[in-house]
Amino acid sequence: MANKFRTLDDVDVKGKRVLLRVDLNVPMENGRVTDATRLERVAPTIAELADKGGKVILLAHFGRPKGRDAKESLKPVTEALSKVVNKPVAFADDCIGEPAATAVAALEDGDILCLENTRFHKEEEKNDPAFVAELAKLGDIWVNDAFSAAHRAHASTEGLGHKLPAYAGRTMQAELDALEKALGSPTKPVIAIIGGAKVSTKIDLLENLVSKVDALVIGGGMANTFLHAQGVGIGKSLAEKDLAPTALRIMEKAEAANCAIILPVDATVAYHFAANAPSHAYGLDAIPADGMILDVGPQSVARVHAAIDDAATLVWNGPLGAFEMQPFDRGTVAAAKHAAERTKAKKLISIAGGGDTVAALNQAHVAGDFTYVSTAGGAFLEWMEGKPLPGVEVLRVK
């Protein structure tokens, strides 16, 4: 893996102006950061560059501003970041032009500066060459540590890689190493657990995975679509019935690729979509006509556990049921805990990603026990779909 991408091991940053693209898109309430996870993830790269005498210049976006908007300023994030890295972080109120140039010129070796939200300029998302050139003037090298934005070909996430020597930061490197272990050259057998509400958002993902993995567990609302396609009565359950032919096509593709598809064999059914609604486990031949499947049943959980036991590598995206409401989190939590135990016993490499997946693992208190948990939603999904990511491709050793 290391020889495919240029990393910080390949460059001496002392005295250099390092344009470091990071993900500072953190949740905020009343001007305060409510979850510093993303700041903690980029802190090691920032600290390493500063400790090695680089002049660290942070590039990031925040929110979806339409032009300059004080509510989307990175200034309060900079203050929170300063506490995380335990060093002062200066701030410039623009990412190009005189304010940025003056702030960069004032930097000593080892100093850290955050430039204002790159998306205050519409040219950022257009990857406008003139805007890229303005950003490039501020640095000697470009380091991309924002895997979560790597699926977008924007000026600060991809364009700079064509103007300056380009390297992967430590967070990006860890993500690429984990993804290589998951699907690039994994230890076999490989199992994927794919859940969530809709098949429509994950067609590309499922079609790519059946040719890459040995077994594919399908859960969540998606599983209902597959069950319906096979003629199972699913009552009033959430399903995309018009996608039945797509589900059958994916199953045929899996059979041709020798990939086992593991669908629920029983289900936890309730009559109301609400927390703590009375529920009961039913076999698939007995789902009540006015009931809703809200989680996998106990026999299905046992099957998922057995599939995890047979695997050497697990890739997970999406919950098995309506995990945000008890008791319909049981299937997801049980499978997560089982995968965590296998990982701790050194019998499984477990890679998980996607917003709901991270939330579910945190709910089960096992996120720290997985081999790697990606916080990059869209980029993680596109990578699993087999699509090249512009912000990663530009880092490849040519």
Side-chain angles (χ1 to χ4, degrees):
M1 191 71 199
N3 63 0
K4 288 186 186 174
F5 299 93
R6 291 180 297 271
T7 71
L8 297 184
D9 298 326
D10 305 317
V11 62
D12 177 9
V13 300
K14 187 167 173 55
K16 289 198 168 74
R17 299 171 303 161
V18 183
L19 285 175
L20 174 61
R21 181 52 160 98
V22 287
D23 180 357
L24 302 182
N25 211 9
V26 290
M28 302 273 289
E29 257 176 51
N30 304 322
R32 295 178 72 82
V33 173
T34 55
D35 180 352
T37 305
R38 286 184 164 176
L39 306 185
E40 288 154 10
R41 285 238 164 156
V42 298
T45 300
I46 295 171
E48 180 180 342
L49 291 169
D51 291 347
K52 288 180 173 175
K55 298 172 180 180
V56 188
I57 304 154
L58 305 178
L59 292 169
H61 75 276
F62 184 74
R64 299 174 180 273
K66 298 282 175 269
R68 189 172 271 276
D69 181 348
K71 291 197 293 291
E72 311 273 18
S73 173
L74 279 171
K75 196 166 197 307
V77 183
T78 304
E79 290 155 16
L81 180 64
S82 177
K83 292 193 181 84
V84 172
V85 297
N86 212 10
K87 281 188 171 179
V89 179
F91 183 74
D93 66 6
D94 205 347
C95 61
I96 56 168
E98 194 272 328
T102 303
V104 169
L107 293 176
E108 304 280 344
D109 292 1
D111 283 353
I112 306 164
L113 165 70
C114 182
L115 302 181
E116 184 56 285
N117 194 338
T118 55
R119 288 195 186 170
F120 280 180
H121 299 269
K122 62 181 185 298
E123 295 83 1
E124 155 76 348
E125 292 181 75
K126 291 178 178 165
N127 205 353
D128 180 273
F131 183 70
V132 174
E134 283 296 309
L135 289 174
K137 279 184 198 168
L138 302 170
D140 302 306
I141 66 170
W142 174 68
V143 176
N144 192 356
D145 213 26
F147 179 81
S148 54
H151 56 313
R152 310 201 186 281
H154 292 173
S156 67
T157 62
E158 194 267 350
L160 281 169
H162 300 288
K163 294 287 281 187
L164 296 173
Y167 304 89
R170 296 304 185 198
T171 311
M172 174 75 84
Q173 186 182 351
E175 190 98 29
L176 295 175
D177 284 345
L179 298 183
E180 180 71 6
K181 279 187 191 133
L183 291 181
S185 48
T187 308
K188 291 189 164 253
V190 186
I191 173 183
I193 296 177
I194 305 297
K198 294 183 171 181
V199 175
S200 52
T201 57
K202 297 192 178 176
I203 293 170
D204 291 351
L205 174 63
L206 296 170
E207 294 204 323
N208 184 47
L209 286 179
V210 293
S211 61
K212 295 262 178 83
V213 303
D214 301 290
L216 176 58
V217 173
I218 298 175
M222 295 169 60
N224 301 338
T225 301
F226 279 81
L227 295 173
H228 167 74
Q230 292 179 300
V232 174
I234 56 168
K236 292 184 173 174
S237 309
L238 171 76
E240 293 172 290
K241 294 183 175 176
D242 56 322
L243 288 182
T246 304
L248 293 173
R249 185 184 76 229
I250 290 166
M251 294 186 80
E252 281 165 19
K253 239 182 148 171
E255 196 172 344
N258 214 9
C259 165
I261 295 258
I262 299 170
L263 285 165
V265 289
D266 60 347
T268 300
V269 175
Y271 296 92
H272 306 287
F273 187 69
N276 301 311
S279 60
H280 193 278
Y282 291 93
L284 292 185
D285 56 349
I287 306 290
D290 54 349
M292 280 183 286
I293 297 172
L294 293 180
D295 195 10
V296 291
Q299 291 172 1
S300 302
V301 172
R303 281 195 77 188
V304 173
H305 287 187
I308 291 170
D309 290 344
D310 288 342
T313 302
L314 163 68
V315 186
W316 190 335
N317 174 262
L320 298 176
F323 83 99
E324 61 281 2
M325 296 188 297
Q326 291 183 332
F328 310 111
D329 59 344
R330 279 185 194 153
T332 303
V333 167
K337 286 184 170 171
H338 192 75
E341 288 303 321
R342 297 284 295 174
T343 306
K344 284 197 286 191
K346 303 273 188 284
K347 291 176 177 166
L348 184 71
I349 293 167
S350 51
I351 315 284
D356 281 352
T357 316
V358 177
L361 297 186
N362 284 333
Q363 199 164 312
H365 305 294
V366 296
D369 297 325
F370 270 55
T371 309
Y372 190 82
V373 177
S374 171
T375 55
F380 182 81
L381 260 182
E382 286 199 22
W383 180 84
M384 282 180 72
E385 288 166 3
K387 294 173 180 170
L389 306 180
V392 170
E393 294 306 308
V394 77
L395 301 173
R396 284 189 189 276
V397 177
K398 300 288 187 282

